[in-house]
Amino acid sequence: MSEQLLDLDPIGAGDTETLEVSMGPHHPSTHGVFRMDVRLEGEKVVRLKPVFGYLHRNHEKIAEHGAYLAAIPYTDRLDYLCSMTNNWGYCLAVEKLAGIPVPERAEYIRVIVAELTRFQNHAGLIGFLLQDMGASGTPLMYAFREREKILDLFESLSGARMMCNYMRFGGVRVDCTPAWLDEVRALVAVLPRFIDEFEALLRGNEILMARTQGVGVLPRDLAVSAGVTGPMLRASGVNYDIRKVDRYGIYDRFEFRVPLGDHGDVYDRYMMRLLEMRESLKILEQALRDIPAGPIMDPKTRLRGLRPKAGEAYGRIEAPKGELGFFLISDGSTNPYRYRVRPPSMINLTILEDMCLGHNVADVVIILGSVDIVLGEVDR
Amino acid sequence: MTALPTPEDIKAQIEAGIPGAAVTVITNGSPSAQHSLLLDNQHARDAAVFLRDHPDLRLDFCSLVTGVDWPDTETTEKIKVRKTVDGVETDVEEARKTKIPGYLEAVYHLFSMEKKHGPVILRVRTANRTDQTHVPSLTPVWRSAEFQEREAFDLYGIVFDGHPDLRRILMWEGFADFPMRKDYVPPADDRLAEVHA
């Protein structure tokens, strides 16, 4: 690959100022196996080409070879920090394709686990971002301390911390107990203190502001055209949250705000995550208050040997990283004819070069950190 | 959220707005009822710009781009043929095979961030799966298609004319085949070394 890239526009023979640096694939700041071919003039970035595919296992082909049910555990491994929302995106697409209803209690449980997922993803992202900035250890460990509590809840609910494999089309796999709901309530009651603490530690920190404000600006029009979604899009001031636009599941029942940024720089993207964590807690409080008793799955829903009528469906949700969509084509058999993931991490990388041009090479690391990518999803 | 016109209305608007454009509505039999519009390759990019800039539609957000492989299919029909067998005229059943050529398809899911509606689904098709696998690239219209069209090129072999940087994206340079195609045969284990070379 590298030869091909160099051939595109080689550095002139007499040019001794320009330097080609291959950042990654094994570099701590790339959050996995991801490479950037960066061309530098001094410290300034003049070209940047992302190179990925190192984790490619043709997830889509694997899913097309299995039954509809068999793809759910594989979706866990896309964005391996957010298996619950991945499950939901896929189940929503299958529910649209086959017209499967979801009972109310299952919808509430989905919202609860999805918002917990969003919380732990954003906390982790901020921790990693500060780690990339040189705040070695402390913020990341603070974030992971809280994340661990949420993963413990996932474990007691689904049996696994990260690879939850919890949702099914038509509902969820197992019901939650009243004791589990009380544990979530207790955790949600103390989490605001964690955000306060985190904010007190970082807000107004001069180094943080100097490193993030005005860095990696993503203009609004470019963000829309490039299909950027999630907190990154909203940091550029575009009010587009699929929980509000599509109102999938039962999101129309909750009161929450969609935080928006002004500048679209790294600082706004970082603040967006902090504010969204607070909104997630609001949704959690309402969901935990209103969750009804009842079934978690319609007994008539067929999980094994589901054969949807020939046709297609696109289902999408607001995953922590952006719009996660699944596009399915059925030919009437037990396997999807076409199974396609819309990976928010990968599409949000489209404008990485645009955001990095003209910045110092050290800023590339935090600009990439603010995009929030997981290579399991980028490469599939 | 504003209501989206029906696919038939959008078809009529495209055909009225772009002279010569031929649009076919493809109905979707699933409960999702997400119907799509098949564009002719010659006018696809004009139609895309038209949809993006249309004041009522404003489809500014191209969410998903994907390839789909539809291999050649063969249908067998039984027809009766009058033949003379051993001097006697009888009706003989003969199987007649019809080959329906396959194609590759690129599917675009469009939404509007401004009007908050969607999806409008566009499809463009290649002439066949072997030597005429070209469709126009819509990356000049929506930047978000850049990586996804590269992926469809990489995994399906659809060549997007006008794409600024059409290279493999997930597989490595030098890899010859298109692994998402339905007739792809993975290399045997003892051949892996040469494939990776």
Side-chain angles (χ1 to χ4, degrees), chain A residues 5 52 61 97 225 239 245 312 314 323 337-338 340 342 354 380, chain B residues 1 28 31-32 34 63 66-67 69 116 123 148 151 156 169 181-182:
Chain A
L5 277 176
F52 45 84
K61 190 91 171 178
L97 182 68
S225 159
N239 187 353
V245 174
E312 60 179 52
Y314 179 59
E323 174 185 331
Y337 182 81
R338 177 75 177 106
R340 159 82 176 160
R342 185 214 189 260
D354 303 70
R380 282 157 294 131
Chain B
M1 196 195 249
N28 175 2
S32 73
Q34 294 169 343
S63 170
T66 184
D69 183 17
K116 303 215 174 1
R123 307 178 105 91
Q148 300 191 77
E151 193 182 325
Y156 281 95
I169 187 165
R181 287 202 186 180
K182 292 285 174 188

PDB file of all heavy atoms in Angstrom, chain A residues 5 52 61 97 225 239 245 312 314 323 337-338 340 342 354 380, chain B residues 1 28 31-32 34 63 66-67 69 116 123 148 151 156 169 181-182:
ATOM      1  N   LEU A   5       0.877   4.664  -2.442  1.00  0.00           N
ATOM      2  CA  LEU A   5       0.628   6.021  -1.965  1.00  0.00           C
ATOM      3  C   LEU A   5       1.746   6.959  -2.398  1.00  0.00           C
ATOM      4  O   LEU A   5       1.497   8.066  -2.827  1.00  0.00           O
ATOM      5  CB  LEU A   5       0.526   6.036  -0.447  1.00  0.00           C
ATOM      6  CG  LEU A   5      -0.833   5.667   0.114  1.00  0.00           C
ATOM      7  CD1 LEU A   5      -0.772   5.635   1.620  1.00  0.00           C
ATOM      8  CD2 LEU A   5      -1.878   6.670  -0.352  1.00  0.00           C
ATOM      9  N   PHE A  52      -6.281   2.005   6.347  1.00  0.00           N
ATOM     10  CA  PHE A  52      -6.801   1.035   7.310  1.00  0.00           C
ATOM     11  C   PHE A  52      -7.162  -0.253   6.589  1.00  0.00           C
ATOM     12  O   PHE A  52      -6.892  -0.419   5.415  1.00  0.00           O
ATOM     13  CB  PHE A  52      -7.962   1.618   8.115  1.00  0.00           C
ATOM     14  CG  PHE A  52      -8.988   2.374   7.313  1.00  0.00           C
ATOM     15  CD1 PHE A  52      -9.997   1.706   6.678  1.00  0.00           C
ATOM     16  CD2 PHE A  52      -8.923   3.754   7.212  1.00  0.00           C
ATOM     17  CE1 PHE A  52     -10.949   2.394   5.954  1.00  0.00           C
ATOM     18  CE2 PHE A  52      -9.885   4.460   6.490  1.00  0.00           C
ATOM     19  CZ  PHE A  52     -10.895   3.767   5.863  1.00  0.00           C
ATOM     20  N   LYS A  61     -19.574 -10.442   4.809  1.00  0.00           N
ATOM     21  CA  LYS A  61     -19.664 -11.745   4.157  1.00  0.00           C
ATOM     22  C   LYS A  61     -20.006 -12.823   5.186  1.00  0.00           C
ATOM     23  O   LYS A  61     -20.820 -13.708   4.929  1.00  0.00           O
ATOM     24  CB  LYS A  61     -18.324 -12.068   3.492  1.00  0.00           C
ATOM     25  CG  LYS A  61     -18.363 -13.285   2.575  1.00  0.00           C
ATOM     26  CD  LYS A  61     -18.697 -12.880   1.178  1.00  0.00           C
ATOM     27  CE  LYS A  61     -18.540 -14.021   0.202  1.00  0.00           C
ATOM     28  NZ  LYS A  61     -18.915 -13.590  -1.149  1.00  0.00           N
ATOM     29  N   LEU A  97     -37.395  -5.009   8.480  1.00  0.00           N
ATOM     30  CA  LEU A  97     -37.439  -5.899   7.316  1.00  0.00           C
ATOM     31  C   LEU A  97     -38.571  -6.895   7.440  1.00  0.00           C
ATOM     32  O   LEU A  97     -39.245  -7.216   6.458  1.00  0.00           O
ATOM     33  CB  LEU A  97     -36.098  -6.637   7.201  1.00  0.00           C
ATOM     34  CG  LEU A  97     -35.921  -7.576   6.028  1.00  0.00           C
ATOM     35  CD1 LEU A  97     -35.866  -6.799   4.736  1.00  0.00           C
ATOM     36  CD2 LEU A  97     -34.651  -8.391   6.181  1.00  0.00           C
ATOM     37  N   SER A 225     -21.853  17.591   4.194  1.00  0.00           N
ATOM     38  CA  SER A 225     -21.547  16.948   2.919  1.00  0.00           C
ATOM     39  C   SER A 225     -20.784  15.649   3.126  1.00  0.00           C
ATOM     40  O   SER A 225     -20.978  14.685   2.391  1.00  0.00           O
ATOM     41  CB  SER A 225     -20.737  17.902   2.044  1.00  0.00           C
ATOM     42  OG  SER A 225     -20.042  17.190   1.061  1.00  0.00           O
ATOM     43  N   ASN A 239     -27.938  20.509  14.100  1.00  0.00           N
ATOM     44  CA  ASN A 239     -28.852  19.863  15.027  1.00  0.00           C
ATOM     45  C   ASN A 239     -29.427  18.614  14.367  1.00  0.00           C
ATOM     46  O   ASN A 239     -30.447  18.667  13.682  1.00  0.00           O
ATOM     47  CB  ASN A 239     -29.960  20.846  15.403  1.00  0.00           C
ATOM     48  CG  ASN A 239     -30.843  20.283  16.489  1.00  0.00           C
ATOM     49  OD1 ASN A 239     -30.708  19.126  16.873  1.00  0.00           O
ATOM     50  ND2 ASN A 239     -31.740  21.096  16.979  1.00  0.00           N
ATOM     51  N   VAL A 245     -34.767  12.764  15.423  1.00  0.00           N
ATOM     52  CA  VAL A 245     -35.263  12.834  14.042  1.00  0.00           C
ATOM     53  C   VAL A 245     -36.150  11.635  13.734  1.00  0.00           C
ATOM     54  O   VAL A 245     -37.279  11.778  13.271  1.00  0.00           O
ATOM     55  CB  VAL A 245     -34.080  12.890  13.053  1.00  0.00           C
ATOM     56  CG1 VAL A 245     -34.581  12.816  11.625  1.00  0.00           C
ATOM     57  CG2 VAL A 245     -33.277  14.162  13.256  1.00  0.00           C
ATOM     58  N   GLU A 312     -36.172  -5.206   1.256  1.00  0.00           N
ATOM     59  CA  GLU A 312     -34.991  -4.641   1.893  1.00  0.00           C
ATOM     60  C   GLU A 312     -35.391  -3.629   2.949  1.00  0.00           C
ATOM     61  O   GLU A 312     -36.529  -3.146   2.956  1.00  0.00           O
ATOM     62  CB  GLU A 312     -34.087  -3.980   0.845  1.00  0.00           C
ATOM     63  CG  GLU A 312     -34.775  -2.856   0.103  1.00  0.00           C
ATOM     64  CD  GLU A 312     -33.870  -2.191  -0.912  1.00  0.00           C
ATOM     65  OE1 GLU A 312     -33.281  -2.901  -1.736  1.00  0.00           O
ATOM     66  OE2 GLU A 312     -33.763  -0.956  -0.869  1.00  0.00           O
ATOM     67  N   TYR A 314     -33.547  -0.455   5.687  1.00  0.00           N
ATOM     68  CA  TYR A 314     -32.414   0.227   6.302  1.00  0.00           C
ATOM     69  C   TYR A 314     -32.860   0.720   7.670  1.00  0.00           C
ATOM     70  O   TYR A 314     -33.827   1.477   7.773  1.00  0.00           O
ATOM     71  CB  TYR A 314     -31.949   1.400   5.426  1.00  0.00           C
ATOM     72  CG  TYR A 314     -30.802   2.174   6.008  1.00  0.00           C
ATOM     73  CD1 TYR A 314     -29.601   1.526   6.287  1.00  0.00           C
ATOM     74  CD2 TYR A 314     -30.905   3.522   6.291  1.00  0.00           C
ATOM     75  CE1 TYR A 314     -28.531   2.223   6.831  1.00  0.00           C
ATOM     76  CE2 TYR A 314     -29.831   4.220   6.832  1.00  0.00           C
ATOM     77  CZ  TYR A 314     -28.651   3.562   7.099  1.00  0.00           C
ATOM     78  OH  TYR A 314     -27.601   4.251   7.642  1.00  0.00           O
ATOM     79  N   GLU A 323     -24.213   7.855  13.396  1.00  0.00           N
ATOM     80  CA  GLU A 323     -25.314   7.065  12.845  1.00  0.00           C
ATOM     81  C   GLU A 323     -24.832   5.660  12.512  1.00  0.00           C
ATOM     82  O   GLU A 323     -24.059   5.463  11.591  1.00  0.00           O
ATOM     83  CB  GLU A 323     -25.861   7.735  11.579  1.00  0.00           C
ATOM     84  CG  GLU A 323     -26.905   6.880  10.890  1.00  0.00           C
ATOM     85  CD  GLU A 323     -27.395   7.435   9.574  1.00  0.00           C
ATOM     86  OE1 GLU A 323     -27.378   8.664   9.418  1.00  0.00           O
ATOM     87  OE2 GLU A 323     -27.781   6.645   8.707  1.00  0.00           O
ATOM     88  N   TYR A 337     -29.529 -11.729   2.085  1.00  0.00           N
ATOM     89  CA  TYR A 337     -28.849 -11.739   0.782  1.00  0.00           C
ATOM     90  C   TYR A 337     -27.750 -10.697   0.786  1.00  0.00           C
ATOM     91  O   TYR A 337     -26.672 -10.908   0.260  1.00  0.00           O
ATOM     92  CB  TYR A 337     -29.851 -11.451  -0.331  1.00  0.00           C
ATOM     93  CG  TYR A 337     -29.229 -11.483  -1.709  1.00  0.00           C
ATOM     94  CD1 TYR A 337     -29.010 -12.687  -2.352  1.00  0.00           C
ATOM     95  CD2 TYR A 337     -28.833 -10.309  -2.341  1.00  0.00           C
ATOM     96  CE1 TYR A 337     -28.421 -12.724  -3.593  1.00  0.00           C
ATOM     97  CE2 TYR A 337     -28.237 -10.340  -3.582  1.00  0.00           C
ATOM     98  CZ  TYR A 337     -28.033 -11.562  -4.204  1.00  0.00           C
ATOM     99  OH  TYR A 337     -27.432 -11.601  -5.426  1.00  0.00           O
ATOM    100  N   ARG A 338     -28.051  -9.545   1.378  1.00  0.00           N
ATOM    101  CA  ARG A 338     -27.046  -8.493   1.508  1.00  0.00           C
ATOM    102  C   ARG A 338     -27.151  -7.957   2.915  1.00  0.00           C
ATOM    103  O   ARG A 338     -28.251  -7.670   3.406  1.00  0.00           O
ATOM    104  CB  ARG A 338     -27.315  -7.377   0.492  1.00  0.00           C
ATOM    105  CG  ARG A 338     -26.350  -6.206   0.617  1.00  0.00           C
ATOM    106  CD  ARG A 338     -24.992  -6.554   0.059  1.00  0.00           C
ATOM    107  NE  ARG A 338     -24.068  -5.424   0.106  1.00  0.00           N
ATOM    108  CZ  ARG A 338     -23.047  -5.336   0.982  1.00  0.00           C
ATOM    109  NH1 ARG A 338     -22.836  -6.283   1.865  1.00  0.00           N
ATOM    110  NH2 ARG A 338     -22.237  -4.304   0.953  1.00  0.00           N
ATOM    111  N   ARG A 340     -25.238  -5.035   5.209  1.00  0.00           N
ATOM    112  CA  ARG A 340     -24.273  -3.955   5.107  1.00  0.00           C
ATOM    113  C   ARG A 340     -24.341  -3.116   6.379  1.00  0.00           C
ATOM    114  O   ARG A 340     -25.423  -2.790   6.851  1.00  0.00           O
ATOM    115  CB  ARG A 340     -24.604  -3.093   3.885  1.00  0.00           C
ATOM    116  CG  ARG A 340     -24.051  -1.712   3.907  1.00  0.00           C
ATOM    117  CD  ARG A 340     -22.629  -1.662   3.464  1.00  0.00           C
ATOM    118  NE  ARG A 340     -22.167  -0.275   3.420  1.00  0.00           N
ATOM    119  CZ  ARG A 340     -20.885   0.075   3.434  1.00  0.00           C
ATOM    120  NH1 ARG A 340     -19.957  -0.844   3.475  1.00  0.00           N
ATOM    121  NH2 ARG A 340     -20.527   1.329   3.402  1.00  0.00           N
ATOM    122  N   ARG A 342     -23.421   0.441   8.146  1.00  0.00           N
ATOM    123  CA  ARG A 342     -22.964   1.818   7.929  1.00  0.00           C
ATOM    124  C   ARG A 342     -22.127   2.192   9.140  1.00  0.00           C
ATOM    125  O   ARG A 342     -22.650   2.495  10.202  1.00  0.00           O
ATOM    126  CB  ARG A 342     -24.143   2.782   7.821  1.00  0.00           C
ATOM    127  CG  ARG A 342     -23.676   4.184   7.485  1.00  0.00           C
ATOM    128  CD  ARG A 342     -24.505   5.262   8.111  1.00  0.00           C
ATOM    129  NE  ARG A 342     -24.132   6.569   7.579  1.00  0.00           N
ATOM    130  CZ  ARG A 342     -23.319   7.423   8.223  1.00  0.00           C
ATOM    131  NH1 ARG A 342     -22.815   7.114   9.388  1.00  0.00           N
ATOM    132  NH2 ARG A 342     -23.003   8.587   7.696  1.00  0.00           N
ATOM    133  N   ASP A 354      -8.803  16.967   5.949  1.00  0.00           N
ATOM    134  CA  ASP A 354      -9.241  18.372   5.926  1.00  0.00           C
ATOM    135  C   ASP A 354      -9.050  19.036   7.281  1.00  0.00           C
ATOM    136  O   ASP A 354      -8.745  20.225   7.365  1.00  0.00           O
ATOM    137  CB  ASP A 354     -10.709  18.466   5.524  1.00  0.00           C
ATOM    138  CG  ASP A 354     -10.968  17.822   4.182  1.00  0.00           C
ATOM    139  OD1 ASP A 354     -10.884  16.585   4.120  1.00  0.00           O
ATOM    140  OD2 ASP A 354     -11.232  18.543   3.207  1.00  0.00           O
ATOM    141  N   ARG A 380     -14.076  -3.635   9.843  1.00  0.00           N
ATOM    142  CA  ARG A 380     -15.058  -4.714   9.750  1.00  0.00           C
ATOM    143  C   ARG A 380     -14.466  -5.988   9.196  1.00  0.00           C
ATOM    144  O   ARG A 380     -14.727  -6.418   8.120  1.00  0.00           O
ATOM    145  CB  ARG A 380     -16.272  -4.300   8.944  1.00  0.00           C
ATOM    146  CG  ARG A 380     -17.213  -3.435   9.749  1.00  0.00           C
ATOM    147  CD  ARG A 380     -18.066  -2.619   8.868  1.00  0.00           C
ATOM    148  NE  ARG A 380     -17.245  -1.677   8.174  1.00  0.00           N
ATOM    149  CZ  ARG A 380     -17.291  -1.468   6.877  1.00  0.00           C
ATOM    150  NH1 ARG A 380     -18.115  -2.091   6.124  1.00  0.00           N
ATOM    151  NH2 ARG A 380     -16.487  -0.584   6.325  1.00  0.00           N
TER     152      ARG A 380
ATOM    153  N   MET B   1     -40.167  17.841  11.143  1.00  0.00           N
ATOM    154  CA  MET B   1     -39.963  16.890  10.033  1.00  0.00           C
ATOM    155  C   MET B   1     -41.032  17.112   8.964  1.00  0.00           C
ATOM    156  O   MET B   1     -42.213  17.092   9.255  1.00  0.00           O
ATOM    157  CB  MET B   1     -40.048  15.469  10.570  1.00  0.00           C
ATOM    158  CG  MET B   1     -39.488  14.444   9.622  1.00  0.00           C
ATOM    159  SD  MET B   1     -40.005  12.816  10.121  1.00  0.00           S
ATOM    160  CE  MET B   1     -38.497  12.109  10.656  1.00  0.00           C
ATOM    161  N   ASN B  28     -40.522  -2.122  -2.989  1.00  0.00           N
ATOM    162  CA  ASN B  28     -39.912  -2.978  -1.984  1.00  0.00           C
ATOM    163  C   ASN B  28     -41.038  -3.704  -1.272  1.00  0.00           C
ATOM    164  O   ASN B  28     -41.918  -3.085  -0.687  1.00  0.00           O
ATOM    165  CB  ASN B  28     -39.106  -2.071  -1.044  1.00  0.00           C
ATOM    166  CG  ASN B  28     -38.511  -2.802   0.120  1.00  0.00           C
ATOM    167  OD1 ASN B  28     -38.643  -4.005   0.245  1.00  0.00           O
ATOM    168  ND2 ASN B  28     -37.848  -2.065   0.975  1.00  0.00           N
ATOM    169  N   PRO B  31     -42.138  -5.046   4.866  1.00  0.00           N
ATOM    170  CA  PRO B  31     -42.933  -4.090   5.643  1.00  0.00           C
ATOM    171  C   PRO B  31     -42.270  -2.723   5.787  1.00  0.00           C
ATOM    172  O   PRO B  31     -42.944  -1.753   6.106  1.00  0.00           O
ATOM    173  CB  PRO B  31     -43.058  -4.765   7.011  1.00  0.00           C
ATOM    174  CG  PRO B  31     -42.833  -6.202   6.762  1.00  0.00           C
ATOM    175  CD  PRO B  31     -41.894  -6.288   5.605  1.00  0.00           C
ATOM    176  N   SER B  32     -40.966  -2.622   5.544  1.00  0.00           N
ATOM    177  CA  SER B  32     -40.312  -1.324   5.670  1.00  0.00           C
ATOM    178  C   SER B  32     -40.793  -0.347   4.615  1.00  0.00           C
ATOM    179  O   SER B  32     -40.759   0.862   4.821  1.00  0.00           O
ATOM    180  CB  SER B  32     -38.797  -1.482   5.553  1.00  0.00           C
ATOM    181  OG  SER B  32     -38.446  -1.752   4.215  1.00  0.00           O
ATOM    182  N   GLN B  34     -39.545   0.761   1.981  1.00  0.00           N
ATOM    183  CA  GLN B  34     -38.581   1.746   1.509  1.00  0.00           C
ATOM    184  C   GLN B  34     -38.342   1.479   0.023  1.00  0.00           C
ATOM    185  O   GLN B  34     -37.562   0.610  -0.331  1.00  0.00           O
ATOM    186  CB  GLN B  34     -37.278   1.627   2.309  1.00  0.00           C
ATOM    187  CG  GLN B  34     -37.425   2.006   3.773  1.00  0.00           C
ATOM    188  CD  GLN B  34     -36.216   1.638   4.604  1.00  0.00           C
ATOM    189  OE1 GLN B  34     -35.385   0.827   4.205  1.00  0.00           O
ATOM    190  NE2 GLN B  34     -36.109   2.217   5.788  1.00  0.00           N
ATOM    191  N   SER B  63     -26.152   9.102   3.422  1.00  0.00           N
ATOM    192  CA  SER B  63     -25.771   8.324   4.600  1.00  0.00           C
ATOM    193  C   SER B  63     -25.001   7.078   4.223  1.00  0.00           C
ATOM    194  O   SER B  63     -23.912   6.836   4.711  1.00  0.00           O
ATOM    195  CB  SER B  63     -27.031   7.967   5.376  1.00  0.00           C
ATOM    196  OG  SER B  63     -26.741   7.044   6.364  1.00  0.00           O
ATOM    197  N   THR B  66     -23.520   1.544  -0.870  1.00  0.00           N
ATOM    198  CA  THR B  66     -23.114   0.154  -0.808  1.00  0.00           C
ATOM    199  C   THR B  66     -23.230  -0.510  -2.170  1.00  0.00           C
ATOM    200  O   THR B  66     -23.959  -0.039  -3.034  1.00  0.00           O
ATOM    201  CB  THR B  66     -23.953  -0.621   0.222  1.00  0.00           C
ATOM    202  OG1 THR B  66     -23.462  -1.935   0.310  1.00  0.00           O
ATOM    203  CG2 THR B  66     -25.397  -0.666  -0.163  1.00  0.00           C
ATOM    204  N   GLY B  67     -22.507  -1.578  -2.350  1.00  0.00           N
ATOM    205  CA  GLY B  67     -22.610  -2.381  -3.555  1.00  0.00           C
ATOM    206  C   GLY B  67     -23.484  -3.582  -3.283  1.00  0.00           C
ATOM    207  O   GLY B  67     -23.575  -4.049  -2.148  1.00  0.00           O
ATOM    208  N   ASP B  69     -24.355  -7.379  -5.347  1.00  0.00           N
ATOM    209  CA  ASP B  69     -24.015  -8.237  -6.480  1.00  0.00           C
ATOM    210  C   ASP B  69     -25.236  -9.056  -6.873  1.00  0.00           C
ATOM    211  O   ASP B  69     -25.830  -9.727  -6.035  1.00  0.00           O
ATOM    212  CB  ASP B  69     -22.868  -9.171  -6.069  1.00  0.00           C
ATOM    213  CG  ASP B  69     -22.418 -10.034  -7.230  1.00  0.00           C
ATOM    214  OD1 ASP B  69     -22.751  -9.688  -8.371  1.00  0.00           O
ATOM    215  OD2 ASP B  69     -21.733 -11.039  -6.988  1.00  0.00           O
ATOM    216  N   LYS B 116     -34.836  17.221   7.724  1.00  0.00           N
ATOM    217  CA  LYS B 116     -34.980  16.085   8.626  1.00  0.00           C
ATOM    218  C   LYS B 116     -35.946  15.025   8.080  1.00  0.00           C
ATOM    219  O   LYS B 116     -36.841  14.558   8.788  1.00  0.00           O
ATOM    220  CB  LYS B 116     -35.445  16.553  10.012  1.00  0.00           C
ATOM    221  CG  LYS B 116     -34.520  17.578  10.645  1.00  0.00           C
ATOM    222  CD  LYS B 116     -34.445  17.416  12.115  1.00  0.00           C
ATOM    223  CE  LYS B 116     -33.466  18.282  12.840  1.00  0.00           C
ATOM    224  NZ  LYS B 116     -32.660  19.240  12.131  1.00  0.00           N
ATOM    225  N   ARG B 123     -30.469   3.973  -6.887  1.00  0.00           N
ATOM    226  CA  ARG B 123     -29.692   2.820  -7.338  1.00  0.00           C
ATOM    227  C   ARG B 123     -29.139   3.129  -8.723  1.00  0.00           C
ATOM    228  O   ARG B 123     -29.815   3.763  -9.542  1.00  0.00           O
ATOM    229  CB  ARG B 123     -30.577   1.573  -7.431  1.00  0.00           C
ATOM    230  CG  ARG B 123     -31.357   1.257  -6.179  1.00  0.00           C
ATOM    231  CD  ARG B 123     -32.225   0.036  -6.384  1.00  0.00           C
ATOM    232  NE  ARG B 123     -31.668  -1.116  -5.724  1.00  0.00           N
ATOM    233  CZ  ARG B 123     -31.967  -1.474  -4.474  1.00  0.00           C
ATOM    234  NH1 ARG B 123     -32.809  -0.769  -3.762  1.00  0.00           N
ATOM    235  NH2 ARG B 123     -31.429  -2.537  -3.937  1.00  0.00           N
ATOM    236  N   GLN B 148     -16.882   5.153   1.003  1.00  0.00           N
ATOM    237  CA  GLN B 148     -17.818   4.046   0.787  1.00  0.00           C
ATOM    238  C   GLN B 148     -17.797   3.577  -0.663  1.00  0.00           C
ATOM    239  O   GLN B 148     -17.962   2.391  -0.935  1.00  0.00           O
ATOM    240  CB  GLN B 148     -19.218   4.470   1.200  1.00  0.00           C
ATOM    241  CG  GLN B 148     -19.288   4.859   2.665  1.00  0.00           C
ATOM    242  CD  GLN B 148     -20.706   5.028   3.143  1.00  0.00           C
ATOM    243  OE1 GLN B 148     -21.404   4.057   3.384  1.00  0.00           O
ATOM    244  NE2 GLN B 148     -21.153   6.246   3.273  1.00  0.00           N
ATOM    245  N   GLU B 151     -14.897   1.480  -0.994  1.00  0.00           N
ATOM    246  CA  GLU B 151     -15.137   0.153  -0.442  1.00  0.00           C
ATOM    247  C   GLU B 151     -15.913  -0.718  -1.434  1.00  0.00           C
ATOM    248  O   GLU B 151     -15.612  -1.900  -1.612  1.00  0.00           O
ATOM    249  CB  GLU B 151     -15.905   0.281   0.870  1.00  0.00           C
ATOM    250  CG  GLU B 151     -15.917  -1.003   1.649  1.00  0.00           C
ATOM    251  CD  GLU B 151     -16.722  -0.894   2.946  1.00  0.00           C
ATOM    252  OE1 GLU B 151     -16.710   0.183   3.566  1.00  0.00           O
ATOM    253  OE2 GLU B 151     -17.358  -1.894   3.298  1.00  0.00           O
ATOM    254  N   TYR B 156     -16.479  -5.178  -4.417  1.00  0.00           N
ATOM    255  CA  TYR B 156     -17.375  -5.637  -5.481  1.00  0.00           C
ATOM    256  C   TYR B 156     -16.811  -5.428  -6.879  1.00  0.00           C
ATOM    257  O   TYR B 156     -17.303  -5.998  -7.836  1.00  0.00           O
ATOM    258  CB  TYR B 156     -18.719  -4.900  -5.396  1.00  0.00           C
ATOM    259  CG  TYR B 156     -19.624  -5.448  -4.324  1.00  0.00           C
ATOM    260  CD1 TYR B 156     -19.663  -4.882  -3.069  1.00  0.00           C
ATOM    261  CD2 TYR B 156     -20.429  -6.556  -4.570  1.00  0.00           C
ATOM    262  CE1 TYR B 156     -20.481  -5.384  -2.082  1.00  0.00           C
ATOM    263  CE2 TYR B 156     -21.242  -7.068  -3.593  1.00  0.00           C
ATOM    264  CZ  TYR B 156     -21.275  -6.492  -2.353  1.00  0.00           C
ATOM    265  OH  TYR B 156     -22.077  -6.996  -1.384  1.00  0.00           O
ATOM    266  N   ILE B 169      -9.396  -0.078  -0.366  1.00  0.00           N
ATOM    267  CA  ILE B 169      -9.419   0.578   0.933  1.00  0.00           C
ATOM    268  C   ILE B 169      -9.267  -0.417   2.074  1.00  0.00           C
ATOM    269  O   ILE B 169      -8.553  -0.151   3.035  1.00  0.00           O
ATOM    270  CB  ILE B 169     -10.685   1.456   1.058  1.00  0.00           C
ATOM    271  CG1 ILE B 169     -10.681   2.306   2.325  1.00  0.00           C
ATOM    272  CG2 ILE B 169     -11.947   0.626   1.014  1.00  0.00           C
ATOM    273  CD1 ILE B 169     -11.687   3.415   2.319  1.00  0.00           C
ATOM    274  N   ARG B 181     -18.300 -10.510  -3.786  1.00  0.00           N
ATOM    275  CA  ARG B 181     -19.146 -11.034  -4.847  1.00  0.00           C
ATOM    276  C   ARG B 181     -19.640 -12.429  -4.474  1.00  0.00           C
ATOM    277  O   ARG B 181     -18.962 -13.169  -3.780  1.00  0.00           O
ATOM    278  CB  ARG B 181     -18.364 -11.102  -6.159  1.00  0.00           C
ATOM    279  CG  ARG B 181     -18.139  -9.745  -6.747  1.00  0.00           C
ATOM    280  CD  ARG B 181     -17.875  -9.874  -8.211  1.00  0.00           C
ATOM    281  NE  ARG B 181     -17.517  -8.573  -8.798  1.00  0.00           N
ATOM    282  CZ  ARG B 181     -17.231  -8.430 -10.074  1.00  0.00           C
ATOM    283  NH1 ARG B 181     -17.230  -9.472 -10.892  1.00  0.00           N
ATOM    284  NH2 ARG B 181     -16.933  -7.246 -10.549  1.00  0.00           N
ATOM    285  N   LYS B 182     -20.800 -12.750  -4.976  1.00  0.00           N
ATOM    286  CA  LYS B 182     -21.444 -14.016  -4.598  1.00  0.00           C
ATOM    287  C   LYS B 182     -20.650 -15.225  -5.087  1.00  0.00           C
ATOM    288  O   LYS B 182     -20.728 -16.291  -4.505  1.00  0.00           O
ATOM    289  CB  LYS B 182     -22.862 -14.060  -5.158  1.00  0.00           C
ATOM    290  CG  LYS B 182     -23.797 -13.054  -4.512  1.00  0.00           C
ATOM    291  CD  LYS B 182     -24.208 -13.498  -3.119  1.00  0.00           C
ATOM    292  CE  LYS B 182     -25.018 -12.414  -2.433  1.00  0.00           C
ATOM    293  NZ  LYS B 182     -25.275 -12.727  -1.026  1.00  0.00           N
TER     294      LYS B 182
END
